[in-house]
Amino acid sequence: MEGLYLFRLLRGHAVGLIGLAAFLLGTPALAEEWVHDRAQAGDFVLAARGQAARIITDAADHDVVRIAAADLRRDIATVSGASEGGAAQVWIGTLGRHAAIDRLVAAKRIDVGKLKGAWESFLIITVDRPAPGVPRALVIVGSDRRGTAYGAYELSRAIGVSPWHWWADVVPLHRDALYVAKGVQRFGPPSVKYRGMFLNDEDWGLVPWAAGSQAPNEKPLGPKTYRHVFELLLRLKANLLWPAMHKVTRPFNADPANAALADRYAIVMGSSHAEPMLRNNVGEWTAPAADFDYLKNPDGVRRYWRERVTANAAYESVWTLGMRGIHDSGMVGPKTVEEQRATLERIFADQREMLGKAGLSGAPQVFTPYKEVLDVYRAGLTVPDDVTLMWPDDNFGYIRHFPDAAERARKGGSGVYYHLSYLGAPLSYLWLSTTPPALIRQEMGRAWDMGAQTMWVVNVGDLKPAELGTDYFLRLAWDVERVRAEPVDKFVEKWAGETIGAAVAEPVAAILRDYHRLNFARRPEHLQWYRPGEKARQSPLTMAQADARLAAFAAMEAAVGRIAPLVAPERQDAFFELVGYPVRASAAANRRFFAAEAHDRLRDGDLAEATRRGQVAQEADAAIGALTRRYNRDIAGGKWRGMMAVEPADGQWRSYRLIPPIVPALDAVVPAIGPARGPIETASWTGVAPRDFVTGAGWRLVDGLGRRGEMLAASSIGGQAKAAVTLPAGRWQMIVDLLPAYADRDGDPLRLTIGIDGVDHALTVPRETGSRDWAMGVLDNRLSLPLPGEVAGGGHDLAVSASDSGVMIEAVRFLPVEADPALH
């Protein structure tokens, strides 16, 4: 096990999680309960003996229904090899849009009382003799156009077609026959009304891939690429997209075919915090940047916005209100916060007037207090009551603001803008996706509990390789209570079964658990312990600790090697994309960094070992190159060429990116004999792990998060958690490790009290985004707080209480006095 983590990894399930909720339409169905390979009494025969049920839609229904029906038809044929024929039928339709289904409703053959008027909901029901000449039908009926499409794709998923069949090459496995259980399966409405993703920082993945491999005949990103994005969103039961918007990308609305295609797929289009009124400023504002100033050029800016309102009025959109700079920067013009507040309020009124004149006064509108705009909001900015407030995280997965009582009472509600990928300070993370699903659950669960329930958007970067995080985020948004009640390991195991194969699901889940745990301590893109512009310095790990970390990565790689031969041949590409590449690449990145660092430390005193370590660094660097070439050129027949770029991919945005690692320039034989070296000593320590605490009201264990795979979280204010610890003789310093989360709002400190033997120590932890402490906290994914004074050896009683629900304890450690806490 990794030397940094001397606690035994405890892998028990979380306790105290919220139980399963009752749903408006009843208990949702599980695919494994209602689709079978072997017939059971009363089953509907979807496909058997080479024949598949005929799929019937109505010409009066929406385009997306016909698209989803065609995909289902193809999916059934792919899985079973059967062709349409026979008397059985699958009817797919929207209430009021499918005449045959409406006749069943009128005859009270289908109870749609709870379906009518519901948001994005659907039923899947078997009906005997639904029409003359039709002995049996499987009816998929939706409350609206997306609900119907979700129903068709839900059946696809149930028969074994992953939402990632195209984006991760999850080839469906063959099934000889498909039977659907008799009865009613109910789904929806979703927990969160608008659920989607933001394609961002696409310069080094999506755009070169699309331009060179996916759609070389259209300017990226165009309909040939967005078609696959829209299908994925529907298969994940999502409904909203913020399109790619960097300067390298053609603006989404520059090609009218993009918006028209989104409408056919029933995808709601929005735009990021920096793109008010669906305008991509970096690509569409052609006047000088200085003219993007509402004080000096209001008519020009209004005309610019009005063009988009007119062009897109017929489409379903979420309209971003407000104004920032051309790109992700502050507003041009007003200087003081008060001037900015007054200008934004004027802008809100003008933007809403435009929408009203276009008949869009009831269209969803959103305002995101992101970066500097949050200060303006807190200075008293008045946002119209029916506008959704979109609260951002700190770009590293920790939400900066949770709605207060007044914000929860707003008609427009609240949402969250979350990151799985980021280009910006203190260091970007654009290569591998290492945000633990448990962190998503913890932060988005807090947001849900505090009333952010209207809109959730996740920044997925290039989308690949963020498949698991994206899937988890969107499934959580669809059904918060059910998904967060399930232990993360169990969710990942099911996901692995769907994408890799049931036979290897459990070991794959174990690998991904360790992958997230190890990379939580330091992301591969953050393998330097100084920020750009600062003096370079080595990591705080001793060589023994670094070697132990590398041993944990090596064990994970070995597990990948053992599992790979057990994966079905048709799933080998998916296994490499979803498991093999991220695990092996992150392991190689750590070998390269720590071996190169060991070389530098040993160079003057142990040439033999330094040379050996230097060669390890060289081999690791070569391994990263070979893995990435395989991803881009070999997997899926070269389908993904240009998609995967090792960070830093080029010299742009240097102030936000990892300094390119220096690999020792060696071409020498390792000396046979080096000087004798004694063992490398490390400071010993002991401590209390989250599971060692006896938790009372107000505390709970969170599984899947932190260096030890669990954390102790304050779920309410005032409760205590208690533990006992016995220290060896000597003098010890007590340190409390916390997750770098926030209290209810950025700027408010985290507060907790640590008692030892009845003596309380009140700790106040400043939390201010952009500060050095914040930067170090998000790079380390922890805040280490030393308590004043010393603790003597012997037995001690600990008690912990919190004054904020953002307090999450990773460990309470005791280090020998004079040891460096950063070494552990």
Side-chain angles (χ1 to χ4, degrees), residues 240-570:
L240 176 63
L241 180 68
W242 292 357
M245 46 72 72
H246 271 212
K247 194 169 185 177
V248 70
T249 306
R250 187 184 190 191
F252 180 85
N253 287 293
D255 184 350
N258 283 333
L261 186 67
D263 186 61
R264 289 192 66 226
Y265 274 84
I267 298 300
V268 183
M269 293 306 301
S271 56
S272 73
H273 53 85
E275 303 171 278
M277 305 302 282
L278 301 183
R279 295 301 313 229
N280 179 324
N281 299 321
V282 296
E284 294 184 315
W285 180 261
T286 57
D291 289 350
F292 198 62
D293 184 332
Y294 210 72
L295 295 183
K296 295 180 179 179
N297 185 29
D299 291 339
V301 175
R302 280 196 294 264
R303 184 166 54 250
Y304 171 68
W305 288 336
R306 194 176 295 112
E307 290 172 357
R308 183 53 32 78
V309 173
T310 301
N312 288 47
Y315 300 137
E316 194 175 1
S317 305
V318 172
W319 296 89
T320 296
L321 302 187
M323 187 175 185
R324 298 186 68 216
I326 291 291
H327 192 50
D328 189 358
S329 57
M331 182 167 47
V332 175
K335 304 300 181 184
T336 67
V337 170
E338 179 58 30
E339 289 174 344
Q340 292 170 347
R341 182 193 63 76
T343 303
L344 277 174
E345 290 177 0
R346 176 187 171 193
I347 288 170
F348 290 155
D350 291 349
Q351 290 171 333
R352 285 163 65 83
E353 182 182 11
M354 290 178 205
L355 294 173
K357 288 181 177 179
L360 297 170
S361 58
Q365 301 160 31
V366 65
F367 173 68
T368 305
Y370 186 63
K371 294 187 176 178
E372 80 288 342
V373 185
L374 184 58
D375 295 331
V376 183
Y377 174 81
R378 290 178 174 172
L381 178 69
T382 299
V383 182
D385 188 63
D386 60 345
V387 173
T388 300
L389 296 175
M390 196 77 162
W391 301 111
D393 67 354
D394 64 351
N395 306 312
F396 291 82
Y398 302 102
I399 297 174
R400 296 177 61 188
H401 182 108
F402 297 91
D404 60 23
E407 290 158 348
R408 287 193 291 273
R410 291 171 48 85
K411 181 180 177 182
S414 289
V416 176
Y417 169 42
Y418 197 78
H419 286 76
L420 297 178
S421 174
Y422 181 61
L423 173 65
L427 284 173
S428 306
Y429 56 107
L430 300 172
W431 176 28
L432 301 177
S433 185
T434 54
T435 299
L439 181 61
I440 300 171
R441 179 187 62 187
Q442 173 65 19
E443 289 296 287
M444 297 309 297
R446 282 186 70 199
W448 170 263
D449 290 338
M450 297 292 282
Q453 302 179 356
T454 302
M455 186 179 305
W456 288 8
V457 174
V458 59
N459 186 322
V460 300
D462 293 312
L463 183 56
K464 297 180 70 65
E467 295 94 342
L468 173 57
T470 301
D471 200 324
Y472 189 81
F473 181 95
L474 292 174
R475 286 210 220 182
L476 189 68
W478 173 262
D479 192 343
V480 171
E481 301 294 6
R482 184 175 184 173
V483 172
R484 72 171 173 178
E486 183 174 43
V488 166
D489 283 354
K490 183 56 64 176
F491 175 93
V492 176
E493 183 179 332
K494 291 179 180 177
W495 188 83
E498 292 179 359
T499 55
I500 309 300
V504 296
E506 186 174 354
V508 166
I511 289 171
L512 292 175
R513 176 182 60 227
D514 289 343
Y515 169 79
H516 287 114
R517 179 179 60 82
L518 289 167
N519 287 300
F520 188 74
R522 203 74 179 186
R523 295 181 191 266
E525 301 93 335
H526 298 165
L527 287 171
Q528 68 181 47
W529 270 258
Y530 55 94
R531 295 185 294 174
E534 293 183 343
K535 182 180 179 181
R537 61 177 177 273
Q538 293 181 328
S539 78
L541 278 67
T542 66
M543 285 199 298
Q545 291 167 337
D547 286 348
R549 177 173 173 82
L550 295 182
F553 273 104
M556 193 166 55
E557 279 194 283
V560 169
R562 289 192 300 270
I563 292 171
L566 306 178
V567 176
E570 56 266 49

Side-chain angles (χ1 to χ4, degrees), residues 23-26 28 118-122 186-190 478:
F23 294 84
L24 180 62
L25 295 178
W119 179 260
E120 297 181 344
S121 302
F122 60 95
R186 305 178 184 270
F187 299 81
W478 173 262

